[in-house]
Amino acid sequence: MITTQEKVREDSTTWMSPDGEAPEVRIGPLGWLMIAWRVPVLGGWVFGGLFIHLALRLVERPVFGLRRPVTPYVTQAVCKGALLILGLPLKVTGRAMRGRGAVVANHVSWLDIFVLNAPQRIYFVSKSEVASWPGIGWLAKATGTVFIRRNARDARLQKEIFEARLRAGHHLCFFPEGTNSDGARLLPFKPTLFAAFFAHGLAEILSIQPVSLAYIAPAGRDARFYGWWGDLTFGEHLLRVLAQARQGRVELVFHDPVAVADFAGRKELARHAEAQVRRSLLDRLPPNSMTK
C-alpha cells in the first residue's frame, strides 16, 4: 500500500534546496476567487487547443510523417494564451534559432512548458515518468515530447530517436540540469545529455542554442516563488500560481547558437552552455538570490 507521504513524493520533484523549503503561501479569499475563474478558463483553453491539435494531427501525420508543418503553431498559440490567463508577463531577449539544432535551458517548473513554447516551436525531451502524469502527460504526448529512460540499455535507441527528430528539422529542448531547481540557482549541466549531439555525424549539421529562464517573484513573495522542487506537489504549486492576483514576471533570453562541430566533445559544449545561462541569470535575478 502506498502511504500518503509516498504519494506526495511520487507527485513531487526530487531535488532538495540547501536553503530549505519555500515559505508557506496562504491563499486568501481573493486568491480563491482568482482560482475559481482561472481554473475553468485555463483548462478550457489548454484542452480545447489539445482537441484542435489532435484533430489536425489526423491529417498531418499520414501526410507529413515526422514533419509537423501546422500543429506547432497551435501549441504556440495555446502557450501564449495560457500566460495571458495566468497574468504572467513574458519578456523575450534575442531570437530563436532558425537552423537545424537543439535548445538547452535551465529548468524551474511546469511553467517552463508555456514560457519556452510561446516564442518558438520546440519539442521537449522529458523523463519517461511524465508520460503517465494526468493532464501534463497527455499534453506532452500530443505535442511530440520525446520521453527518455535513464538507463544504459535504452541509450542507443534514444540516440536513434533524437537523430531522426533532429534530422526532420525538429528543435528538441533539453534540460541539462536533469531536474527542476528552485529558480534561484543553476545546477551543474550534465555532459552526458550532450552526447547525442555528437552521434552519427550530427555534430557536422547541428547547432545548440542556450536559453535562460529567469523568474522574478511577485512583490513581497519569496524569490523562489515560481520554483517547483522538493516535497511541493504539482497541485499545490499550481494553486499557488493560480491564486496570485498580481504576478511577477519571467524573462527568457536566447543566446547565440553555437555549432556542435566547434567543440571537442560533450563536456566542452556543456561547460559553454552552462556558462552562458549562468551569466544571464546573474544579470537578471535579484542580488544575492543566485547561488552556485
Side-chain angles (χ1 to χ4, degrees), residues 240-262:
R240 289 185 180 190
V241 176
L242 291 174
Q244 186 65 38
R246 184 169 294 179
Q247 301 282 6
R249 70 181 188 277
V250 57
E251 297 189 18
L252 184 151
V253 182
F254 289 110
H255 302 284
D256 292 336
V258 293
V260 174
D262 289 344

Side-chain angles (χ1 to χ4, degrees), residues 19 31 55 66 80-81 89 101 105 113 122 126 163 169 178 193 195 201 208 230 240 247 252 255 263-264 274:
D19 297 332
L66 279 180
K80 288 180 178 179
I113 298 172
I122 57 173
S126 177
E163 180 180 1
L193 295 176
I208 300 300
R240 289 185 180 190
Q247 301 282 6
L252 184 151
H255 302 284
F263 295 84
E274 181 182 335

Side-chain angles (χ1 to χ4, degrees), residues 31-251:
W32 287 111
L33 182 61
M34 299 301 297
I35 291 172
W37 82 262
R38 278 177 173 162
V39 166
V41 174
L42 182 62
W45 176 257
V46 171
F47 286 98
L50 176 60
F51 177 79
I52 295 173
H53 186 286
L54 292 175
L56 290 172
R57 279 298 288 162
L58 293 176
V59 177
E60 190 181 55
R61 184 170 185 174
V63 175
F64 297 101
L66 279 180
R67 292 180 56 227
R68 296 184 178 220
V70 179
T71 51
Y73 291 94
V74 176
T75 302
Q76 195 173 9
V78 168
C79 291
K80 288 180 178 179
L83 292 176
L84 287 174
I85 295 168
L86 291 171
L88 182 63
L90 170 62
K91 178 183 177 181
V92 178
T93 301
R95 298 183 61 180
M97 65 186 300
R98 298 192 178 278
R100 185 176 288 174
V103 170
V104 294
N106 59 307
H107 194 14
V108 180
S109 80
W110 54 273
L111 287 165
D112 299 348
I113 298 172
F114 295 134
V115 173
L116 285 165
N117 260 314
Q120 62 182 332
R121 292 175 293 282
I122 57 173
Y123 303 89
F124 292 100
V125 177
S126 177
K127 58 185 181 181
S128 58
E129 296 92 323
V130 173
S132 62
W133 291 2
I136 291 181
W138 306 332
L139 291 170
K141 290 178 186 176
T143 53
T145 297
V146 179
F147 297 103
I148 60 173
R149 297 181 183 275
R150 297 173 184 175
N151 61 62
R153 291 181 301 175
D154 293 335
R156 181 175 180 179
L157 175 60
Q158 287 169 178
K159 285 185 178 181
E160 291 175 354
I161 294 173
F162 291 158
E163 180 180 1
R165 297 288 292 270
L166 291 167
R167 289 189 183 278
H170 293 190
H171 286 168
L172 297 182
C173 180
F174 293 77
F175 295 116
E177 294 168 289
T179 187
N180 310 33
S181 75
D182 57 12
R185 72 195 68 235
L186 183 69
L187 305 180
F189 279 12
K190 297 181 178 180
T192 52
L193 295 176
F194 290 80
F197 305 139
F198 291 87
H200 307 294
L202 286 178
E204 286 70 35
I205 64 173
L206 293 183
S207 292
I208 300 300
Q209 182 169 41
V211 174
S212 301
L213 293 175
Y215 287 87
I216 311 301
R221 295 295 191 189
D222 186 277
R224 303 169 295 167
F225 178 78
Y226 291 111
W228 176 36
W229 81 95
D231 287 332
L232 185 63
T233 67
F234 169 71
E236 290 171 329
H237 192 264
L238 175 65
L239 289 179
R240 289 185 180 190
V241 176
L242 291 174
Q244 186 65 38
R246 184 169 294 179
Q247 301 282 6
R249 70 181 188 277
V250 57
E251 297 189 18

